[in-house]
Amino acid sequence: MTPRFALIGVVTSDMAAALAFYRRLGLVFPEGSEEQPHVDAELPGGLIFALDTEETVRSFHSGWQPPERGGRVGLAFRCDSPAEVDAQYEDLVNAGYHGELKPWDAFWGQRYATVHDPDGNGVDLFAPLPAAE
């Protein structure tokens, strides 16, 4: 039997802040999740996006510490259009989240932008650019 990729997990220092951010991007978490140490949101195709508090991780890994520098895992949300990339970016920045890279037309054919979630994780927003005529 081969293991099957099933879950993306993010460790957060503030569950309520993380939930507010990811809900703005359309993820659905159960009511009352702000008070929970672990929450899941089911993604299309059955993949799970999970949030765990730092305390939860330390409950089974007592020496765990958050990384001092940025991680090497990228999260990305596909938008319906280049205009939606711009709108989502503006919405998140106007809500107080850090805009790392303003929307731009990437050489690989996408409108692209990066914001940080409340724990400093880079979250990309992208959409295909219209095909060049």
Side-chain angles (χ1 to χ4, degrees):
M1 179 183 271
T2 302
R4 188 170 50 93
F5 184 60
L7 185 138
I8 298 165
V10 172
V11 179
T12 182
S13 60
D14 184 335
M15 182 64 81
L19 287 165
F21 178 85
Y22 287 105
R23 282 176 171 149
R24 285 187 93 89
L25 287 168
L27 298 187
V28 178
F29 295 92
E31 260 279 333
S33 291
E34 291 77 3
E35 307 304 319
Q36 300 301 314
H38 169 94
V39 295
D40 293 342
E42 188 169 337
L43 305 175
L47 192 62
I48 303 291
F49 182 85
L51 292 169
D52 287 290
T53 63
E54 292 178 356
E55 294 77 20
T56 298
V57 174
R58 285 192 193 103
S59 75
F60 59 85
H61 183 350
S62 61
W64 182 86
Q65 293 295 318
E68 291 182 25
R69 303 170 98 197
R72 294 180 180 240
V73 173
L75 300 174
F77 285 75
R78 183 180 180 139
C79 298
D80 289 333
S81 68
E84 186 184 349
V85 171
D86 294 1
Q88 286 287 339
Y89 179 87
E90 288 302 318
D91 177 65
L92 291 165
V93 170
N94 289 338
Y97 300 105
H98 177 260
E100 179 68 14
L101 291 173
K102 291 181 180 181
W104 60 289
D105 292 344
F107 65 87
W108 57 84
Q110 294 176 331
R111 184 75 172 162
Y112 221 85
T114 304
V115 294
H116 286 164
D117 76 3
D119 293 291
N121 297 304
V123 177
D124 298 336
L125 306 170
F126 72 95
L129 290 168
E133 308 267 334

